[in-house]
């Protein structure tokens, strides 16, 4: 499918975010409405019905206080009993005003009852309480009026009954308001729970959709890219998903195609160069042998007949031809690494090192060298090539020795999936600035007359180690002498057993 027909990832993300915003906004709006209802129900209960009911209850208590004070004054004619009567009137007035104000907001129909209670209270005082107080004050002593007391009690009971009816109705309103508050609270609770469940469902759905249309295509693309980066350049990179993923896949595949073409050109060029070096080296062998042979014949036949300079020239020619032969042989060996491949087998490096040391026994004895080696592991590779690595490093340690007899130490340690080998000596050492130069073919740090060699040995070591899947480097961590380190892939125990 053409990537231009696909949605870009930014649009997909914006759509997902928009859905979440719409759902969250709707849910928040619903919760806000529910909370407003909860606030209103709470206000009705706590700020209106409840205080109005308390005001009526205080009114009832004030009436009882007035009636008790009047009866006490009637029985004793003491003025202090009238303190409760006057205080009750003040409380009555405040309670009536409060009840009228609160009920006018929530129950206007009950305001008339409050007004009626006010009138009944005033009537009770006018018909009973005030006349008794005036009569006793005039007489200066208690006065008992049975008929008047009965009439006053009847009026007061009627008044208390009216107040009780109002208080009972407000108690019902209070219970209803509390029930409404509980119902709204339950609604808010259910709405919040539903909102949480809905958000979980929406987020899960969005995550699944994003995974299918964004994450999974990226994972598939990453797997294919890893497959190509591991060396399978023939693998075609294809992926779906949003526009950016498809475009990225096409770019990676285009890069893979270019790398594949360049790799083919490089392989062809390397093959031609290797073939050229191999053929050129073979073609040079015969004339070099002739030059060396005839120079040696001239030296033997005309020895003593040439002057000193002539014999020196012959020695130079023989030495140059021999050097060239060694150089050509080393170059041939270097070109064969990785080109003439053999099956990799399990190699016991202890046996390989023993064979190397045996071949260098004369040089070791001549220099008084000491070789110390740890127990080496078994690896997979070509024994002859790995032996060449140890041989080159040991040979260099013997060649570039200092004033003291050479001491070569060979160690190894496991580092994850590789073995790390260390070959150190007490020789003249190598400056850190030459850490990379020494592994370049034909690079020498000393004059050929000071130390023999062709400058191919360490380059050969690097090529062999990399051919076996490892790396080699000069350890510049300090100390005297020279320390080389290289890695080789470790062999699993099951592989060793199967072999």
């Amino acid at each position: 499918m053409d990537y231009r027909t696909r949605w870009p990832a930014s649009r997909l993300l914006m759509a997902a975010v928009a859905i979440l915003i719409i759902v969250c906004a709707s849910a928040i709006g619903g919760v806000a409405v529910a909370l407003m209802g909860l606030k209103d129900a709470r206000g009705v209960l706590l700020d209106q019905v409840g205080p109005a009911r308390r005001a009526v209850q205080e009114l009832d208590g004030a009436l009882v206080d007035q009636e008790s004070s009047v009866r006490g004054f009637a029985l004793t004619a003491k003025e202090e009993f009238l303190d409760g009567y006057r205080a009750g009137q003040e409380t009555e007035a405040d309670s009536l005003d409060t009840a009228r104000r609160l009920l006018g907001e929530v129950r206007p129909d009950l305001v008339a009852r409050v007004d009626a209670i006010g009138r009944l209270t005033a009537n009770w005082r006018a018909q009973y309480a005030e006349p008794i107080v005036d009569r006793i004050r005039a007489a200066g002593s208690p006065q008992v009026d049975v008929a008047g007391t009965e009439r006053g009690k009847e009026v007061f009971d009627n008044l208390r009954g009216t107040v009780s009816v109002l208080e009972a109705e407000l108690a019902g309103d209070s219970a209803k308001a509390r029930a409404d508050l509980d119902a709204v609270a339950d609604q808010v609770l259910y709405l919040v729970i539903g909102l949480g469940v809905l958000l979980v469902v929406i987020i899960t759905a969005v995550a699944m959709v994003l995974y299918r249309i964004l994450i999974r295509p990226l994972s598939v693309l990453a797997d294919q890219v890893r497959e190509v980066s591991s060396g399978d350049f023939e693998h075609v990179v294809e992926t779906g998903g949003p526009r950016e993923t498809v475009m990225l896949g096409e770019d990676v595949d285009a890069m893979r195609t270019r790398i594949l073409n360049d790799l083919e050109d490089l392989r062809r060029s390397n093959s031609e160069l290797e073939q050229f070096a191999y053929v050129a080296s073979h073609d040079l062998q015969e004339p070099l042998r002739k030059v060396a042979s005839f120079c040696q014949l001239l030296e033997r036949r005309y020895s003593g007949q040439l002057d000193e300079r002539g014999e020196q020239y012959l020695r130079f020619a023989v030495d140059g031809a021999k050097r060239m032969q060694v150089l050509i042989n080393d170059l041939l060996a270097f070109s064969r690494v990785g080109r003439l491949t053999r099956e990799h087998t399990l190699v016991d490096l202890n046996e390989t090192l023993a064979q190397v040391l045996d071949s260098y026994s004369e040089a070791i004895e001549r220099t008084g060298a000491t070789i110390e080696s740890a127990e080496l592991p078994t690896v997979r590779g070509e024994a002859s090539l790995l032996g060449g690595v140890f041989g080159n490093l040991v040979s260099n340690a013997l060649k570039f020795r200092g004033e003291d007899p050479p001491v070569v130490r060979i160690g190894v340690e496991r580092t994850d999936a590789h073995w790390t080998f260390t070959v150190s000596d007490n020789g003249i050492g190598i400056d850190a600035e030459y850490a990379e130069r020494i592994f370049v073919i034909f690079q020498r740090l000393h004059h050929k007359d000071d130390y023999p060699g062709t400058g191919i040995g360490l380059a050969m070591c690097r090529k062999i180690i990399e051919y076996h899947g490892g790396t080699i480097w000069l350890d510049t961590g300090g100390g005297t002498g020279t320390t080389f380190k290289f890695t080789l892939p470790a062999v699993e125990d099951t592989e060793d057993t199967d072999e």
Side-chain angles (χ1 to χ4, degrees):
M1 182 183 292
D2 188 356
Y3 70 85
R4 289 184 292 270
T5 63
R6 294 178 177 269
W7 275 28
S10 57
R11 184 179 297 179
L12 294 173
L13 290 176
M14 289 177 61
V17 171
I19 292 174
L20 285 176
I21 291 175
I22 293 173
V23 172
C24 290
S26 302
I28 291 173
V31 172
V33 171
L35 289 177
M36 289 297 295
L38 180 65
K39 179 181 178 182
D40 293 342
R42 179 180 178 277
V44 169
L45 176 63
L46 300 181
D47 299 334
Q48 295 176 332
V49 175
R53 182 184 178 189
R54 287 193 296 273
V56 173
Q57 291 173 341
E58 291 175 358
L59 173 62
D60 185 64
L63 295 175
V64 172
D65 290 341
Q66 292 181 58
E67 196 272 339
S68 299
S69 297
V70 170
R71 282 193 292 107
F73 181 72
L75 295 175
T76 63
K78 294 181 178 180
E79 285 291 330
E80 58 264 26
F81 278 96
L82 294 179
D83 293 340
Y85 176 66
R86 288 187 287 271
Q89 292 183 60
E90 295 177 0
T91 302
E92 172 196 338
D94 293 339
S95 298
L96 287 172
D97 291 340
T98 301
R100 287 191 189 94
R101 175 174 55 81
L102 294 175
L103 291 177
E105 298 174 359
V106 63
R107 288 293 302 273
D109 57 303
L110 297 181
V111 175
R113 294 190 184 183
V114 175
D115 293 338
I117 292 173
R119 290 193 296 272
L120 290 174
T121 305
N123 183 49
W124 173 75
R125 280 198 296 271
Q127 293 183 4
Y128 174 71
E130 294 297 335
I132 290 179
V133 171
D134 292 341
R135 188 169 60 251
I136 293 175
R137 281 178 176 170
S141 61
Q143 299 291 322
V144 177
D145 183 1
V146 176
T149 300
E150 289 297 329
R151 288 193 303 274
K153 183 176 183 303
E154 181 180 352
V155 173
F156 189 78
D157 289 342
N158 183 36
L159 173 62
R160 288 285 311 279
T162 304
V163 173
S164 298
V165 170
L166 178 60
E167 198 277 334
E169 189 161 352
L170 289 177
D173 290 347
S174 177
K176 181 178 180 300
R178 185 176 300 278
D180 293 341
L181 178 63
D182 292 340
V184 174
D186 291 339
Q187 291 177 2
V188 172
L189 176 62
Y190 297 146
L191 185 59
V192 170
I193 294 174
L195 173 61
V197 174
L198 179 62
L199 286 178
V200 170
V201 172
I202 293 294
I203 292 174
T204 303
V206 170
M208 292 177 62
V209 171
L210 289 178
Y211 174 80
R212 289 179 60 87
I213 65 178
L214 188 62
I215 304 301
R216 188 168 65 178
L218 285 175
S219 300
V220 172
L221 177 60
D223 292 339
Q224 296 188 61
V225 171
R226 277 192 293 269
E227 190 169 349
V228 172
S229 65
S230 65
D232 185 8
F233 295 106
E234 300 291 341
H235 181 76
V236 178
V237 177
E238 295 179 341
T239 186
R243 182 183 301 172
E244 291 85 352
T245 306
V246 176
M247 294 174 63
L248 179 60
E250 293 178 353
D251 292 340
V252 171
D253 193 65
M255 181 174 61
R256 176 197 65 83
T257 303
R258 289 194 298 271
I259 292 175
L260 186 60
N261 294 333
D262 294 342
L263 184 60
E264 290 299 324
D265 294 339
L266 182 61
R267 285 173 179 169
R268 189 183 310 110
S269 176
N270 285 342
S271 177
E272 292 172 353
L273 288 174
E274 289 175 356
Q275 188 66 24
F276 170 78
Y278 186 74
V279 173
S281 299
H282 273 76
D283 291 344
L284 288 174
Q285 290 284 359
E286 184 59 28
L288 279 175
R289 280 195 294 268
K290 287 183 178 181
V291 171
S293 298
F294 279 106
C295 286
Q296 289 172 347
L297 288 174
L298 285 172
E299 186 179 22
R300 286 196 298 269
R301 176 168 293 186
Y302 297 101
S303 178
Q305 300 179 31
L306 299 174
D307 58 11
E308 181 179 354
R309 178 166 294 183
E311 291 183 355
Q312 184 182 23
Y313 289 165
L314 283 176
R315 287 194 299 272
F316 284 163
V318 172
D319 181 66
K322 289 181 178 179
R323 285 179 181 273
M324 182 60 102
Q325 284 181 322
V326 172
L327 181 60
I328 291 173
N329 289 330
D330 288 348
L331 183 59
L332 282 173
F334 183 82
S335 67
R336 290 192 185 103
V337 175
R339 185 170 63 89
L340 301 177
T341 57
R342 297 183 179 87
E343 182 182 359
H344 284 197
T345 60
L346 293 178
V347 179
D348 185 350
L349 293 182
N350 293 297
E351 296 180 2
T352 302
L353 180 61
Q355 294 172 4
V356 170
L357 297 181
D358 183 64
S359 64
Y360 284 94
S361 59
E362 187 276 331
I364 293 174
E365 183 177 354
R366 174 169 47 81
T367 58
T370 301
I371 311 295
E372 301 175 359
S373 175
E375 184 70 19
L376 301 181
T378 296
V379 298
R380 182 170 288 279
E382 295 186 29
S384 60
L385 295 180
L386 295 175
V389 174
F390 284 104
N392 268 295
L393 297 179
V394 171
S395 174
N396 284 346
L398 300 179
K399 183 192 306 182
F400 300 101
R401 61 184 180 274
E403 296 180 357
D404 298 328
V407 178
V408 182
R409 295 181 175 87
I410 303 173
V412 65
E413 63 178 353
R414 179 71 178 265
T415 52
D416 297 330
H418 289 77
W419 291 107
T420 299
F421 297 85
T422 303
V423 180
S424 60
D425 61 52
N426 62 340
I428 61 176
I430 301 174
D431 291 339
E433 61 180 302
Y434 303 116
E436 283 299 320
R437 178 181 170 186
I438 58 176
F439 292 104
V440 179
I441 191 170
F442 299 135
Q443 292 294 316
R444 297 174 55 89
L445 303 183
H446 307 280
H447 193 272
K448 59 183 176 59
D449 294 332
D450 297 332
Y451 296 97
T454 59
I456 296 180
L458 289 177
M460 177 82 75
C461 289
R462 168 174 279 185
K463 192 170 184 181
I464 292 172
I465 293 300
E466 291 179 351
Y467 170 65
H468 284 81
T471 56
I472 185 171
W473 67 95
L474 174 69
D475 186 2
T476 58
T480 59
T482 304
T483 300
F484 286 98
K485 290 188 175 184
F486 62 91
T487 62
L488 290 173
V491 176
E492 298 298 334
D493 295 338
T494 55
E495 184 179 356
D496 195 359
T497 303
D498 294 342
E499 190 71 19

